[in-house]
Amino acid sequence: MSDGVLIPLLLTLKIAGWATLLALVTGVAAGYALARGRLAGRETLDAVLTLPMVLPPTVLGYYLLVLVGRKGVLGRWLDETFGITLIFTWQGAAIAAAIVAFPLVFKAARAAFEAVDGNLEKAARSLGYSELKVFLRVTMPLAWPGVLAGAMLAFARAMGEFGATLMVAGSLPGRTQTLSIAIYEAVAAGEDETAHFLVLVSSLICIIVLVASSKLLRTGHMRLRTV
Amino acid sequence: MDLDVDIRRVLRSAQRIFRLHARFSVREDLAVLFGPSGAGKSVTLQAIAGLLHPDAGSVRFGGTTLFDSDSGVDVPARRRGIGYVFQDYALFPHQTVSQNVAAALTPLLGHRLRAEQRERVDALLDAFELTPIARSYPSQISGGQRQRTALARALAAEPKLLLLDEPFNALDTGLRARMRREVLQVWERFRVPILLITHDDADVAAFGRQLIRIEDGRIVTQRGAQSNPLAHTMASVHARG
């Protein structure tokens, strides 16, 4: 594999990996809070948290720019306090991809937590379990197959992220140019052969992720056959 | 057993508003809370275990106040030392029979037990004839075996009181008589007070040392083994059984 493919591929995997991790942690927390918490207006909150899935990525990218750009509220604070700039960096691209991928984890996690029988958690409490222990030993292991399937979809989504990433991180070869952006650049430059190959690699990875995720979901359901 | 319950709770569903006011005392070590489905039995039992919260009232057991809305006392379920066996057993589906029985003893992470804990689990598995299926998952075993697993799991925590929610409801008729005998054996062998709820007269005959009858959210009669006059008013309900 030539550097023209390997470099954007590795960069894409790095960005998608971090984005998935970020979406996983926040998505599980939000999914659990909405499935188990007694928050007022949780359906409104659910809608707001699902927005990144339906908003055009360029709109999200614009919001992100406004927030973390050099003149943005958060961006200026990060720059002045820590000397951190997110614009035109792979970290910025990872955050953009994480926000786009977040609803996939969040939705899957909420559904998975809601599917856990509340009596199992009560039984654990009556056995002396603290709330943390209930979560780690009962709730999370039972919800895990669903959460993992959501995380796989999030990874695939993050891999293919284009709009928000381009607006926040640009297209700097070797630094922020991911596979999907490299494809666009290759086509625009008339490099058909490179484009073909990049497209093939992208498709292959996404298919692998999808197959693995449906397999995980199936084995998860088999193990948790209703008692 | 030395249990005093006086709880109120309003339950709302799409169809109706249900007001539960359960007030009774239990002195016998084997007692039955009897009433038709939807009379508020499960809610009462869960409130005693601390698994749900009454709107008002108090729960006292063995000289300790577990819940009192007036003074704001609400001991969390995990510190009440009360075992609870659910109607559908609520076994952890991702754990083997052995891991289920050991659940009360396992650490926050992993499944390692100290030697004496391992012995206790093995003794319980043995006592409930679960040793041959110790490595099976709940979905792979019979209804009677599930119930034994649930009883063993609750007893591993060494509860001071064992609450059974419709314990024989999920079993077929042939198995019920046998499991009734087994629960009576548990009561004698482990010397743990048992309060069970049921809508089955046969359970009352087998376990009703003390009978508390509940209908439509109200305690209608309460009688003990010795004294038996049927009381109909709230005041006499509170008299000792």
Side-chain angles (χ1 to χ4, degrees), chain B residues 209-229:
Chain B
R209 293 287 188 91
Q210 183 178 350
L211 177 66
I212 301 129
R213 193 182 289 266
I214 185 167
E215 258 169 43
D216 206 21
R218 294 283 185 282
I219 305 296
V220 288
T221 62
Q222 176 171 352
R223 71 166 171 78
Q226 287 81 34
S227 64
N228 111 66

Side-chain angles (χ1 to χ4, degrees), chain A:
Chain A
M1 229 184 290
S2 69
D3 278 2
V5 177
L6 197 62
I7 289 172
L9 175 63
L10 291 178
L11 185 69
T12 303
L13 291 175
K14 179 163 83 170
I15 289 172
W18 279 102
T20 306
L21 197 67
L22 227 86
L24 187 62
V25 173
T26 50
V28 164
Y32 185 74
L34 262 74
R36 285 287 181 269
R38 275 174 238 158
L39 306 161
R42 10 181 228 178
E43 291 321 310
T44 317
L45 193 59
D46 184 286
V48 170
L49 293 174
T50 310
L51 262 184
M53 202 155 79
V54 291
L55 276 181
T58 43
V59 173
L60 276 178
Y62 182 81
Y63 281 140
L64 259 177
L65 271 184
V66 168
L67 196 68
V68 302
R70 285 186 210 289
K71 287 175 189 154
V73 195
L74 200 61
R76 192 183 303 166
W77 179 77
L78 279 173
D79 192 18
E80 283 167 7
T81 336
F82 304 105
I84 295 174
T85 327
L86 289 173
I87 302 304
F88 296 120
T89 63
W90 73 265
Q91 290 93 337
I95 289 172
I99 290 172
V100 173
F102 167 84
L104 291 165
V105 179
F106 161 67
K107 282 280 180 192
R110 181 177 177 183
F113 286 131
E114 276 172 351
V116 174
D117 180 1
N119 278 354
L120 297 178
E121 294 170 337
K122 285 183 174 178
R125 282 182 202 116
S126 80
L127 292 171
Y129 282 28
S130 65
E131 289 307 306
L132 176 68
K133 199 170 175 183
V134 171
F135 182 78
L136 290 179
R137 297 224 67 132
V138 179
T139 317
M140 201 57 214
L142 291 172
W144 185 238
V147 172
L148 199 58
M152 299 285 267
L153 289 178
F155 183 78
R157 180 70 188 81
M159 286 253 324
E161 221 305 294
F162 183 84
T165 309
L166 189 63
M167 288 192 69
V168 172
S171 170
L172 305 174
R175 287 178 51 202
T176 64
Q177 194 182 75
T178 60
L179 269 182
S180 42
I181 295 171
I183 290 167
Y184 175 79
E185 299 276 9
V187 172
E191 295 163 7
D192 286 352
E193 220 167 289
T194 314
H196 279 320
F197 194 59
L198 290 171
V199 164
L200 209 69
V201 170
S202 286
S203 307
L204 209 66
I205 293 173
C206 283
I207 289 168
I208 290 170
V209 169
L210 269 184
V211 169
S213 117
S214 73
K215 208 165 198 150
L216 273 173
L217 209 55
R218 239 195 335 262
T219 52
H221 282 313
M222 289 222 318
R223 221 178 82 199
L224 305 179
R225 270 172 306 191
T226 42
V227 178

Side-chain angles (χ1 to χ4, degrees), chain B residues 54-98:
Chain B
D55 296 330
S58 64
V59 177
R60 291 187 179 83
F61 177 69
T64 313
T65 299
L66 298 175
F67 178 84
D68 188 351
S69 55
D70 288 339
S71 57
V73 175
D74 186 5
V75 179
R78 67 175 190 276
R79 297 221 183 87
R80 291 196 182 191
I82 295 179
Y84 197 105
V85 176
F86 285 83
Q87 188 172 346
D88 61 359
Y89 315 129
L91 297 175
F92 303 133
H94 57 303
Q95 295 182 356
T96 63
V97 168
S98 168

